[in-house]
Amino acid sequence: MAAHLKKRVYEEFSRVVQIPHEEAPAKKLRLSKPSKSAALHIDLCKATNSTDALQYLLQFARKPVEVESVEGVIRILLEHYYKETDNSVRLKIASLLGLLSKTNGFSPDCVVDDVINTLGNEKSHQVLAQLLDTLLVVGTQLPESPAVRPRLVEVACKLLSDTYFGVRNKCLQLLGCLGMVDTPLAKDSDGPSSSIGGVRDVQSIISNYFSDQDPRVRTAALKAMLQLHERGLKIHQIIYEQACRLLSDDYEQVRSAAVQIVWVLSQLYPESIVPIPSSNEEIRLVDDAFGKISHMVSDGSWMVRVQAAKTLGSMLQVSPHFLEQTLDKKLMSDLRRKRTAHERAKELFASGEFSSGRKWADDAPKEKLDTNTVNLIASGACGAFVHGLEDEMFEVRIAAVEALCQLARSSPSFAEKCLDFLVDMFNDEIEEVRLQSIHVLREISTHITLREDQLDTVLAVLEDSSRDIREALHELLCYTNVSTKECIQLALLDLLKNLNKYPTDRNSVWKCLKFLGSRHPTLVLPLVPELLSTHPYFDTPEPDMDDPAYIAVLVLVFNAAKSCPTMPALFSDHTFRHYAYLRDSLSHLVPPLRLPGRKQVYSLDSVDPGCGSGSVESAKLFLQQSLNRVSTIQNLETPGAQDLLNFTIRDLQRLGELQTELAGAADFCATYLRCQLLLMKALQEKLWNMAVPLCLKQNVTATAAAQQILEETYKLEFLYSGLESRQVATIHHVRLQAKALQLILTARTRPGLDLLISSCEKFLQEIESFQRMFLTELPHLQDGFVDKLLELMPRLLSCKPVELVKILQSSLRQSGLLQLRLPEQIHRASATIIEPTGESDNPLRFTTGLVVALDIDATLEHVQEPQDKVKVQVLYPDGQSHVIHPKPADFRNPGPNRHRLITQVYLSHTAWTEPSQVEVRLLLAYSSSSSSPSSSIKSGWSDSIDGLPPAEAAVEGTIPFSKPVKVYIMPKPARR
């Protein structure tokens, strides 16, 4: 009896404690902590001197401020500002006002009046500049406010006459960010005060400070004008002359900003005519600007030279003769004003001198120019790109190379003229410059044809120790045109030397020769007898098919033979056999050929290219019909439905093998249907109508099926790119079905109440998270599993765990198959390990306790952010597994949706008695946030929310997405 009473006392006591605990509003009242403004006011009142006040302000600046407290804090700061006499404290307060104005959700228009009022009484120039910076912050936060903008512009105009450069800088920034071009520019504008009181011409005010005595103010004025241009306001042409004068300023910041202004005006008014100083000649503005910016390539500051070189590359409207002058240091005759024959005869007659004939060539034209000749371009601008390519700073050389590329792509004639200069850059001492030159020549390769001397210079780069340089050059040769068969022979010999010196370049060299042969079939034809070592009368020995150099020659010849029908007549018998072998083993390098007098096996793969698009369309139609056929699965019995799914999965897998364009979509659909097949097998009738002890084997099978479905859904979500929201919702729907199956199996095999309650709580959180994430996709999930659960959600929250499990079981078995919408563009992430090949029988030997480096070379397709996701796994024979995360620098990006991984993996192990194989593969890491940490679900069987388990924050794992490669290694014991 006493025990019973004690139990009742504890029960009543526990109920009393839980009542206030469940009342959520009671927790929201927290009055013990003072507000930010009150705390700041107390701190500032405690300060006995300016040093203490400054210390309190510095501490306050490190703490975040809530939106509702910002206005109160600003009032406290302004009150202290009016009382403070120390400039450093007022400066910090002005800085804090600007920081607080940036708070999200706070409207800073209430600060404008107070800050403007303080400007009139402020005597410190530094504080004045900081207050203007605060107004600049407010103006950028309220750019469209009609009440704030005019006031700030007026304040900036009034303070432009300040003697401190920082104040003038901030005023010019304000005008650049907030000023408007309201009236046309007048040439008789006296200064900033000429338009005060009326509608302000901001450009006139700013341009008056181009000639300010302080270079920092001149720079700020130029940048303010650029800010007007970036805001979409059109800069007037009249400031072009002023900007050109600033190109010869003493300070590099001014010259740098002037280059930008001149470029902007050349893009706005390219066809305008401007006069040449001290002459009657006129010239297009874009040509004049091009000449002046070309002159800046010889500037004393390397930063200005870099900017000038980059700017030249974007001036595509310049005249061709101006463009060509940048490649010659001597002034061309096209850019001089020539005198007519009458003018020359008149001058000769007036001088009274004629050639006597006694002195050799005394009447020949002389290069020396007199004062009457006028140059259309400054002599310092001649050979601008020559100066840039010979600059001592490699940044300038890179900028010049990139500018040449941009101009050459738009002008084929200029591309031919700059070819020699780009080829010379292949010998630069800096690797980055050499690599950039190769990339540039690759981009303009359609406009050029290499001569033999140029090709000789290009091929010399194959001796470079950098793998990136060599592979970039291989890609350049793939798309380059050469002029003679000697060029083909020279390229082949140098590529074979490269192959011999660097065997790891094998695939890159083969690919290069494939394109070289297909682009020059007529040049390869006369070389075939020499390349294949054939003789018209005698049989020659059959070469070794394991020789990479011989395979390289065959790749060149076979690709040339595709466009040259007379070439196969020069082949010997063993060449045909070698073709059949390479066509099967290296089909991506050897094309299908129609060989006369041979079996049809050699031309089986020759497909009419005109039917390619039709076959893709028919394959898409077949894929859609397969998905539509599966949608009728509800009308079939279980054995028939499983057979239909099996046949459809088989068809989709075969479709992906035949049509590479649809491989991603076909594999995606096949994996989704495999998940449905596994779920259908796990929900068979006989499994759920028997007692648990009688179907232990079936329970194990169902548990394995649920786990496999989960793994497949993670593959569907993270291994494929291009998924739409509807497909992601369908994947999460299948994942929820697998988790519901796991919950049911847990209830059947583990009858523990605590485990069941926590599992049910977690599953309800999953449902809530699904509803929140895919709210817009719920109409497309009708008659699905989640749709049924959301209808029963109030009942699920109030029922017991056992009843919830029964509801889940019935909903799983009654839910229909969701029809998968065919993705528009979907690709599967894949990886191919090139090195190691796994074909060598010679083990890598190393001493136990030390390491051996294994070179990894792999290509990645359709992998998003590989630097964070791709890992290398090494699996040892004893079951040990090492996962290595490559460095970001190990990844290259040779093209869209393609990456290259070149890295080293270090292997180590204890001593072995004999060599064995380790497996190397690539893994794709993923992290799935399946539910939100904060959940409002509260079930009926849980006494308090304290017992609610935290939602699953993230599920992390890895997916193998490359075929494993086996490598022989042999750790040998250390010698004693």
Side-chain angles (χ1 to χ4, degrees), residues 925-943:
Y926 65 86
S927 177
S928 170
S929 179
S930 56
S931 58
S932 175
S934 58
S935 178
S936 59
I937 290 279
K938 182 172 178 293
S939 59
W941 64 80
S942 181
D943 291 333

Side-chain angles (χ1 to χ4, degrees), residues 117-184:
N117 292 335
T118 57
L119 288 173
N121 302 324
E122 185 56 57
K123 303 300 181 184
S124 171
H125 296 293
Q126 288 86 355
V127 179
L128 203 58
Q130 188 60 53
L131 289 172
L132 287 171
D133 187 70
T134 299
L135 289 179
L136 179 63
V137 172
V138 174
T140 53
Q141 297 290 322
L142 304 169
E144 304 299 329
S145 175
V148 173
R149 175 187 288 169
R151 296 187 62 191
L152 298 184
V153 172
E154 183 178 358
V155 168
C157 292
K158 287 181 180 179
L159 294 176
L160 269 173
S161 57
D162 194 275
T163 58
Y164 182 58
F165 78 92
V167 175
R168 300 202 297 276
N169 282 359
K170 294 299 179 183
C171 291
L172 290 170
Q173 287 184 35
L174 268 173
L175 292 177
C177 292
L178 302 175
M180 296 294 293
V181 183
D182 297 316
T183 56

Side-chain angles (χ1 to χ4, degrees), residues 141-277:
Q141 297 290 322
L142 304 169
E144 304 299 329
S145 175
V148 173
R149 175 187 288 169
R151 296 187 62 191
L152 298 184
V153 172
E154 183 178 358
V155 168
C157 292
K158 287 181 180 179
L159 294 176
L160 269 173
S161 57
D162 194 275
T163 58
Y164 182 58
F165 78 92
V167 175
R168 300 202 297 276
N169 282 359
K170 294 299 179 183
C171 291
L172 290 170
Q173 287 184 35
L174 268 173
L175 292 177
C177 292
L178 302 175
M180 296 294 293
V181 183
D182 297 316
T183 56
L185 187 64
K187 290 186 178 180
D188 55 352
S189 179
D190 298 331
S193 59
S194 62
S195 56
I196 299 290
V199 178
R200 289 165 179 77
D201 186 355
V202 175
Q203 293 193 37
S204 174
I205 297 173
I206 295 175
S207 61
N208 284 331
Y209 288 87
F210 285 178
S211 56
D212 193 273
Q213 61 181 354
D214 196 299
R216 292 164 290 191
V217 178
R218 298 198 293 272
T219 305
L222 290 169
K223 290 183 177 179
M225 196 68 73
L226 289 171
Q227 184 69 25
L228 291 177
H229 171 69
E230 291 173 1
R231 289 172 48 211
L233 305 179
K234 192 171 184 180
I235 301 176
H236 297 308
Q237 182 186 345
I238 196 170
I239 68 170
Y240 176 72
E241 185 179 350
Q242 292 175 280
C244 290
R245 285 198 299 268
L246 291 176
L247 289 174
S248 57
D249 197 273
D250 293 337
Y251 294 86
E252 65 173 282
Q253 293 87 354
V254 180
R255 299 196 300 272
S256 177
V259 168
Q260 298 180 54
I261 283 287
V262 171
W263 176 82
V264 167
L265 290 169
S266 70
Q267 303 303 304
L268 293 175
Y269 308 99
E271 301 299 328
S272 298
I273 303 299
V274 295
I276 296 178

Side-chain angles (χ1 to χ4, degrees), residues 477-632:
L477 292 175
C478 289
Y479 301 98
T480 301
N481 298 317
V482 296
S483 53
T484 62
K485 66 183 181 66
E486 286 77 13
C487 293
I488 294 289
Q489 197 167 15
L490 181 64
L492 178 61
L493 291 176
D494 281 359
L495 286 170
L496 293 180
K497 290 179 184 177
N498 175 22
L499 187 60
N500 185 40
K501 186 175 181 180
Y502 301 103
T504 55
D505 291 353
R506 181 180 62 181
N507 291 280
S508 182
V509 169
W510 288 351
K511 177 186 173 185
C512 173
L513 289 170
K514 169 190 174 182
F515 285 94
L516 203 62
S518 61
R519 293 178 71 91
H520 307 90
T522 56
L523 300 181
V524 176
L525 178 60
L527 299 174
V528 170
E530 182 181 354
L531 295 179
L532 298 181
S533 301
T534 57
H535 195 275
Y537 306 116
F538 303 107
D539 285 337
T540 55
E542 181 175 348
D544 184 11
M545 275 303 295
D546 292 332
D547 184 9
Y550 177 63
I551 295 178
V553 173
L554 290 181
V555 168
L556 174 71
V557 172
F558 290 150
N559 281 276
K562 184 177 182 181
S563 305
C564 188
T566 60
M567 192 179 295
L570 303 175
F571 295 171
S572 57
D573 289 339
H574 62 258
T575 306
F576 291 108
R577 295 197 304 271
H578 295 169
Y579 167 76
Y581 171 75
L582 291 179
R583 183 71 189 116
D584 289 335
S585 59
L586 297 174
S587 57
H588 61 290
L589 294 175
V590 179
L593 300 178
R594 293 187 178 274
L595 303 178
R598 294 283 154 182
K599 293 182 179 179
Q600 192 65 20
V601 67
Y602 299 125
S603 58
L604 282 176
D605 295 314
S606 57
V607 182
D608 184 11
C611 66
S613 59
S615 62
V616 173
E617 292 299 326
S618 60
K620 284 184 178 180
L621 180 62
F622 175 78
L623 180 59
Q624 187 62 55
Q625 290 175 348
S626 300
L627 295 178
N628 294 336
R629 186 168 59 249
V630 170
S631 62
T632 62

Side-chain angles (χ1 to χ4, degrees), residues 751-771:
L753 185 60
D754 294 337
L755 178 62
L756 184 59
I757 290 177
S758 63
S759 300
C760 293
E761 291 279 2
K762 187 175 179 181
F763 184 77
L764 291 177
Q765 291 174 7
E766 298 277 355
I767 298 176
E768 183 205 20
S769 174
F770 182 91
Q771 184 181 13

Side-chain angles (χ1 to χ4, degrees), residues 673-732:
L673 295 180
R674 192 179 303 112
C675 293
Q676 298 294 337
L677 179 62
L678 290 170
L679 190 63
M680 186 179 296
K681 290 180 178 179
L683 294 174
Q684 289 179 1
E685 185 79 20
K686 60 180 181 180
L687 173 63
W688 305 101
N689 292 338
M690 298 171 61
V692 176
L694 301 179
C695 56
L696 292 177
K697 185 178 180 181
Q698 288 82 353
N699 276 327
V700 173
T701 304
T703 304
Q707 185 61 34
Q708 187 176 353
I709 292 172
L710 284 178
E711 294 174 358
E712 295 290 343
T713 57
Y714 287 121
K715 288 182 182 179
L716 287 172
E717 184 175 2
F718 298 105
L719 204 57
Y720 296 86
S721 58
L723 297 179
E724 301 172 359
S725 177
R726 187 167 175 180
Q727 279 105 41
V728 177
T730 306
I731 293 169
H732 280 255

